[in-house]
Amino acid sequence: MLEETEVKEIKRSVLKAQSVNKSQQKPIFKGWKDTLIGYTFISPMLIGTTTLVIFPILATIFLSFTDWNFVTGVGGFNFIGIENFEKLFNDEIFIKSLINNFLLLLVVPIGLMISLSIAVMINNHVYFKDFFKVVYFMPYISSVVAVAIVFQVLFHPTQGPINRLLMELGIENPPGWIADINFALISVMLILIWTNIGFQLIIYLAGLQNIPKELYEAAEMDGATSWYKFRKITVPLVSPTTFLLLVTGLISTFKVFDLIIVLTDGGPANSTTVPVFYLYEQAFVELRSGYASAIAVVILGLVLTVTLLQWIGQKKWVNY
């Protein structure tokens, strides 16, 4: 039998342990307070995202199945099902704009190859690196309207400096550039490559500085050439950077609007019309909001599809 003092000691130990456990437990309402404080802090971003992103997307999807326009007002729309989409894929101008946009996708890989080559040269063989970073970055931060106006002058078919130089070099019939159906889209692509090189160059330079120099030194000791080091060391180790620029670049090609509306206004003969520009025309010129919403839904679907394909494909060539 336990003595009375031992029993009291055991009871005292049990009570002490229970009091410690109770002190360690958080009150129920304290967790709710933390949650409320957290939602309070994220509420500005949550309200902004819901108002400016989520709600417009849902409204656009809904309006794409109607014939609504700005003139009729809020209540003046009729539900017409997939009629807008049926018209859309029988619309020659929209099909032409899709083809133009898919051709614009070539801007991204071409620009990445040029940017990576320049970044390697600047990183390894050029003095005053900061100066050249600024020089190449200036077109990217310049006003798109200013860039478009400058290239309107440069690409002028008769009085432009580029064609005058080509004629001085003996080319009798130089391209008409933005005035030529066959060269207008190529002119836009050249400008996009030129303006985006600066941003891609800066990102690539950051990626190149993270490659250990010991890898290049070991390759040199084994007699590797510069081209071999570029293919086997540089390109694989900057593949995450390439993947980032590829995803953001391909998405941005579906948003090219300001350059085209200032430079060519979609012409000549719709040779530079892209879906975003055609959406603008249908929504704010023709006032066909339902039809424009259908175009927006198609663009959203294309962007999501292209991005998904890149995420699936990156497992085969991106080295983390």
Side-chain angles (χ1 to χ4, degrees):
M1 297 293 294
L2 294 175
E3 295 183 1
E4 186 177 354
T5 56
E6 294 179 351
V7 172
K8 290 182 179 179
E9 187 66 29
I10 292 173
K11 288 182 178 180
R12 192 181 297 111
S13 300
V14 171
L15 292 174
K16 185 177 181 180
Q18 290 177 350
S19 64
V20 170
N21 290 334
K22 288 181 180 180
S23 65
Q24 291 178 349
Q25 293 178 353
K26 292 183 177 180
I28 297 176
F29 294 103
K30 188 175 182 181
W32 284 103
K33 289 180 180 179
D34 292 342
T35 303
L36 181 61
I37 292 172
Y39 278 112
T40 302
F41 277 107
I42 68 171
S43 60
M45 181 61 70
L46 186 62
I47 295 172
T49 303
T50 303
T51 306
L52 301 177
V53 179
I54 297 177
F55 176 74
I57 290 175
L58 297 177
T60 299
I61 294 174
F62 172 75
L63 291 175
S64 66
F65 298 102
T66 69
D67 61 352
W68 184 68
N69 61 64
F70 290 117
V71 178
T72 56
V74 178
F77 58 80
N78 298 313
F79 186 79
I80 59 175
I82 61 172
E83 184 177 331
N84 283 329
F85 294 95
E86 291 176 349
K87 292 180 180 178
L88 196 61
F89 287 102
N90 290 314
D91 189 336
E92 294 182 358
I93 299 178
F94 178 71
I95 299 300
K96 175 67 174 176
S97 69
L98 281 180
I99 295 173
N100 292 338
N101 212 139
F102 282 119
L103 291 175
L104 281 182
L105 295 179
L106 297 175
V107 166
V108 181
I110 294 173
L112 291 180
M113 289 189 291
I114 297 173
S115 301
L116 180 57
S117 302
I118 298 175
V120 170
M121 288 188 291
I122 291 177
N123 190 56
N124 296 333
H125 307 292
V126 175
Y127 296 101
F128 305 108
K129 296 179 182 179
D130 294 336
F131 170 76
F132 284 99
K133 289 179 185 178
V134 174
V135 169
Y136 281 103
F137 197 67
M138 285 298 293
Y140 181 76
I141 61 176
S142 299
S143 169
V144 177
V145 175
V147 170
I149 293 174
V150 168
F151 275 94
Q152 276 183 334
V153 176
L154 293 176
F155 282 144
H156 194 278
T158 56
Q159 303 297 325
I162 294 177
N163 276 1
R164 282 188 170 275
L165 176 61
L166 293 176
M167 287 187 286
E168 290 291 334
L169 295 175
I171 300 177
E172 296 181 356
N173 296 313
W177 302 113
I178 58 175
D180 190 332
I181 295 176
N182 298 320
F183 284 90
L185 188 62
I186 295 175
S187 303
V188 173
M189 295 171 70
L190 291 175
I191 298 171
L192 289 175
I193 292 173
W194 178 74
T195 54
N196 289 323
I197 280 179
F199 173 74
Q200 296 166 350
L201 174 68
I202 297 297
I203 303 299
Y204 267 132
L205 283 171
L208 290 172
Q209 292 173 3
N210 291 325
I211 300 177
K213 295 182 179 179
E214 292 80 5
L215 297 176
Y216 294 105
E217 293 172 356
E220 289 179 0
M221 293 178 64
D222 291 337
T225 62
S226 299
W227 174 243
Y228 185 87
K229 290 186 289 184
F230 177 77
R231 289 190 301 114
K232 299 298 184 180
I233 299 177
T234 304
V235 173
L237 292 183
V238 297
S239 57
T241 304
T242 303
F243 177 63
L244 168 68
L245 293 173
L246 187 64
V247 171
T248 56
L250 291 181
I251 292 175
S252 66
T253 57
F254 287 95
K255 302 187 297 180
V256 178
F257 171 76
D258 41 8
L259 176 64
I260 289 177
I261 196 172
V262 177
L263 185 68
T264 63
D265 198 26
N270 296 312
S271 60
T272 59
T273 297
V274 292
V276 172
F277 179 80
Y278 192 51
L279 184 154
Y280 163 78
E281 284 189 329
Q282 295 301 310
F284 300 106
V285 178
E286 302 294 335
L287 300 179
R288 300 171 65 189
S289 304
Y291 195 67
S293 298
I295 299 174
V297 171
V298 173
I299 295 173
L300 176 63
L302 289 174
V303 171
L304 292 177
T305 302
V306 170
T307 305
L308 179 62
L309 292 175
Q310 291 178 89
W311 276 104
I312 296 174
Q314 58 97 15
K315 297 178 182 179
K316 297 182 179 180
W317 62 275
V318 179
N319 301 293
Y320 290 104

